[in-house]
Amino acid sequence: MIMIVCHCNIIKRNDIREAVHAILAADPSGRLEPQYIYRELQKRGRCCSCFPLVASIVDEMLAEAMTLVDSPALSGSTASTKRVAAGTSRG
């Protein structure tokens, strides 16, 4: 199902997600407020009633990313990694 986020510019949810990925690929500390996402999409907010929804999509994406970072598979939870992190390595 395709979700239209902005009816004024016909911007879909996937367009927002792709713009966020592009912004962060260009600059990991890039700004993710709706106006910057629209700039990435080469659009301008018109009525701007969609901006809260755009912000919530960004929040969801950041929460998803944090879930991935917190997962045991990515956190390096092996014993040797923990020793190195604690500053104690066995030889």
Side-chain angles (χ1 to χ4, degrees):
M1 182 172 142
I2 296 174
M3 179 181 174
I4 302 289
V5 174
C6 173
H7 293 277
C8 296
N9 289 298
I10 313 299
I11 298 174
K12 301 178 294 283
R13 181 183 197 88
N14 271 354
D15 298 332
I16 301 297
R17 293 179 67 89
E18 289 172 8
V20 168
H21 286 289
I23 290 168
L24 294 177
D27 177 7
S29 63
R31 302 203 50 184
L32 298 177
E33 289 90 354
Q35 64 268 26
Y36 298 105
I37 292 169
Y38 273 56
R39 182 185 301 162
E40 178 67 29
L41 294 169
Q42 298 178 354
K43 306 282 185 181
R44 292 185 62 172
R46 293 186 181 165
C47 75
C48 301
S49 66
C50 57
F51 277 21
L53 181 54
V54 172
S56 72
I57 292 169
V58 171
D59 289 343
E60 288 172 12
M61 291 179 71
L62 294 174
E64 289 169 10
M66 291 307 296
T67 301
L68 290 174
V69 169
D70 289 340
S71 76
L74 292 178
S75 66
S77 61
T78 64
S80 62
T81 305
K82 286 181 182 177
R83 282 193 305 271
V84 170
T88 60
S89 62
R90 289 187 225 162

